[in-house]
Amino acid sequence: MTASRSVLASQETDYPRWFQDVIAKAELADNGPVRGTMVVRPYGYGIWELLQEAMNRRIRATGAQNAYFPLLIPQSYLQREAEHVEGFSPELAVVTHAGGKQLEEPAVIRPTSETVIGEYMAKWVQSYRDLPLLLNQWANAVRWELRPRLFLRTTEFLWQEGHTAHVSAEDARAFATRILSDVYRDVMVNVLAIPVVAGRKTRRERFAGAINTMTLEAMTGDGKALQMATSHELGQNFARAFDIGYLSGEGRRELAWTTSWGSTTRMVGGLIMVHGDDAGLRVPPAVAPVQVVVLAVKDESTAAARRIADELSAAGLRVGVDDRADQPFGRRAVNWELKGVPVRIELGPRDLAAGTATVVRRLRDSAKTAVELSGLAMAVVSALEADQAHLLAAATARRAARVTAVSTVDEAIEAAASGWATLPYDAVGEEGEDRLAESGVTVRCLQRADGALPLSDDEPGVVAYVARSY
């Protein structure tokens, strides 16, 4: 692993540079031609596709259906919900000219789609029989970022955004909570192997126009927090602004209750920052575009490498073959370490003569084992399952070691220099949030003492998670 460390900055001494180095050296993404935009390279997009597939299956299981809405939104739509437009105003990209002429009404490139989808919900919903209306779209969005960072905050990003309408506040709350738990948390924990804290955002941190924002927060390798996904109860704010109403079973005209929820390419950034080490990426097998790569050490082992790769593919694995025997083996091995491929199989003449292969497990500190060729497929499948669980356990242990229980805002600020703090929100309050903000620290979320989600902004006895964040 020494060779790979030489091409990356150290996490301990320069974490931001390490993050940029990993993205570049692992060939995940590049900066786009317009400031803040991102070109996602095939390897990075392969991770995103597998994430997207995992997320999409879970979204569909809730009953939501995929649709698509326009990229351009009339500016007047955003202005109908005052808090919403105020919250997004600094980030909006506005089209004023098209076709060589000035537009009669400027169009906003969507920062999010509550307003345009609300317009069509009002058109499609007539009766209580039309509810719940459960929609999702996979799309891009634009928010003009002042301090862009690849995969974390880019001017344009890829995401899914769900939007739903319901007959009651209880139904809306239950669905928004289900998305947070059964979709987002399930993907974070069981696919990305990232432990997350679920909680309620404070008033100052919640989504513009929402009555409640629920979040999942992950701890990065440098002890900061990263918001991984959010689910919002919008109350009747957007229903009122767009007249999303329905005829009840008693024949009365009622306003619907709506939700919205989203997750973005930031999840790939979370993967990098939670699991990466000084040798580069460590990709959970569930989202690894290449789960196992077979390296031919010499020309004479090329045919065997291809045959073994076919056997592994037949076992249902995503397999790569590196038979570039004309290139230095050490450099090739380092490149696959940088990419974080979970299992590497090294196959040389000596291995073949012994009827074995050298199996290198990237997620276990690149531990090497000689494995009989006859049992290779079974051994690799077993290793991938075990190492997926190992990543989650290791990340959970690291987080536990860096969360400190404190009792005052000053102690929370001190603890946030190297990790997270927890303390009673009663000891923070809105005044305490102002003091935290002066030190670049925020309340990431609120939880009940038993880990459950609070049901109101003013619920007493809740615990605040406090940290610096990306």
Side-chain angles (χ1 to χ4, degrees):
M1 294 173 64
T2 304
S4 56
R5 286 198 178 102
S6 67
V7 300
L8 300 175
S10 166
Q11 284 185 311
E12 187 174 348
T13 59
D14 194 344
Y15 194 84
R17 172 55 62 185
W18 170 85
F19 181 70
Q20 294 175 16
D21 285 351
V22 169
I23 291 173
K25 299 295 184 181
E27 300 179 338
L28 296 175
D30 208 340
N31 289 306
V34 174
R35 182 183 178 276
T37 60
M38 173 173 62
V39 175
V40 184
R41 300 185 66 174
Y43 190 65
Y45 200 82
I47 294 173
W48 172 246
E49 282 184 310
L50 290 164
L51 256 176
Q52 184 182 42
E53 291 169 9
M55 190 76 74
N56 210 29
R57 285 195 302 272
R58 289 162 174 80
I59 290 172
R60 286 176 171 167
T62 69
Q65 295 179 300
N66 285 336
Y68 185 81
F69 292 83
L71 175 69
L72 298 176
I73 301 173
Q75 192 173 51
S76 60
Y77 282 21
L78 269 79
Q79 293 169 340
R80 291 191 207 174
E81 214 293 321
E83 186 180 351
H84 193 64
V85 68
E86 181 181 353
F88 279 100
S89 184
E91 302 174 341
L92 297 180
V94 183
V95 177
T96 58
H97 290 73
K101 298 179 180 180
Q102 184 169 339
L103 299 178
E104 289 186 12
E105 179 182 354
V108 173
I109 301 176
R110 65 169 164 243
T112 179
S113 298
E114 281 77 11
T115 58
V116 67
I117 292 178
E119 177 79 7
Y120 284 86
M121 281 182 168
K123 179 179 179 181
W124 298 339
V125 172
Q126 304 299 323
S127 161
Y128 70 94
R129 295 184 181 90
D130 299 321
L131 298 174
L133 179 58
L134 312 176
L135 302 172
N136 178 65
Q137 75 166 341
W138 291 93
N140 59 347
V142 170
R143 298 176 186 174
W144 213 259
E145 289 287 350
L146 295 178
R147 293 178 293 277
R149 187 173 298 185
L150 292 180
F151 285 117
L152 298 183
R153 290 187 178 275
T154 48
T155 294
E156 180 187 5
F157 53 88
L158 302 177
W159 74 339
Q160 60 72 215
E161 52 174 322
H163 301 266
T164 69
H166 302 262
V167 297
S168 69
E170 292 74 20
D171 285 351
R173 177 179 300 118
F175 194 83
T177 305
R178 181 182 179 187
I179 289 294
L180 189 80
S181 175
D182 295 357
V183 178
Y184 293 153
R185 186 182 182 280
D186 191 20
V187 168
M188 303 306 163
V189 173
N190 296 315
V191 178
L192 285 174
I194 294 176
V196 286
V197 170
R200 182 186 181 105
K201 288 289 190 182
T202 63
R203 286 187 183 92
R204 70 181 294 157
E205 293 292 326
R206 72 186 174 203
F207 182 71
I211 63 170
N212 178 29
T213 289
M214 295 172 283
T215 182
L216 294 174
E217 303 284 330
M219 180 182 284
T220 59
D222 59 348
K224 293 183 180 179
L226 185 68
Q227 180 178 290
M228 297 290 285
T230 50
S231 184
H232 316 287
E233 293 179 66
L234 304 179
Q236 294 181 310
N237 293 342
F238 289 87
R240 189 171 293 108
F242 288 87
D243 195 25
I244 308 170
Y246 65 94
L247 199 64
S248 71
E250 292 76 32
R252 293 192 302 271
R253 176 75 175 172
E254 304 280 1
L255 280 179
W257 299 77
T258 65
T259 78
S260 67
W261 26 277
S263 60
T264 78
T265 35
R266 172 178 283 200
M267 290 186 291
V268 180
L271 181 158
I272 299 167
M273 299 179 104
V274 173
H275 297 311
D277 61 18
D278 277 346
L281 274 179
R282 295 196 303 165
V283 184
V287 289
V290 180
Q291 294 173 311
V292 52
V293 61
V294 185
L295 272 72
V297 177
K298 301 286 185 181
D299 280 328
E300 50 265 46
S301 52
T302 296
R306 291 172 180 165
R307 183 182 70 252
I308 289 170
D310 289 341
E311 293 172 359
L312 294 170
S313 294
L317 302 178
R318 295 185 290 274
V319 185
V321 178
D322 187 341
D323 55 6
R324 300 169 296 170
D326 59 329
Q327 296 187 18
F329 175 77
R331 182 185 303 169
R332 289 189 286 145
V334 164
N335 285 338
W336 290 112
E337 275 204 337
L338 280 166
K339 288 180 176 291
V341 172
V343 172
R344 187 170 77 244
I345 295 175
E346 299 174 355
L347 201 64
R350 292 180 182 175
D351 297 298
L352 291 175
T356 64
T358 300
V359 175
V360 185
R361 295 168 69 173
R362 174 70 178 90
L363 311 184
R364 297 287 187 129
D365 296 325
S366 296
K368 294 189 176 186
T369 309
V371 176
E372 300 259 346
L373 293 178
S374 59
L376 190 56
M378 185 180 298
V380 171
V381 169
S382 177
L384 291 171
E385 291 177 354
D387 291 354
Q388 176 84 23
H390 170 74
L391 270 189
L392 176 61
T396 303
R398 285 196 304 273
R399 186 187 69 186
R402 300 181 76 171
V403 177
T404 304
V406 301
S407 56
T408 68
V409 169
D410 288 339
E411 290 173 346
I413 292 171
E414 183 179 353
S418 58
W420 294 4
T422 59
L423 74 165
Y425 185 64
D426 293 341
V428 182
E430 293 185 2
E431 181 180 339
E433 285 193 75
D434 291 338
R435 287 176 54 206
L436 290 170
E438 292 171 1
S439 299
V441 179
T442 54
V443 174
R444 303 311 305 159
C445 64
L446 305 176
Q447 271 190 353
R448 289 176 174 171
D450 63 0
L453 295 169
L455 294 181
S456 73
D457 289 334
D458 302 314
E459 185 173 317
V462 298
V463 175
Y465 278 81
V466 173
R468 299 181 187 277
S469 66
Y470 284 97

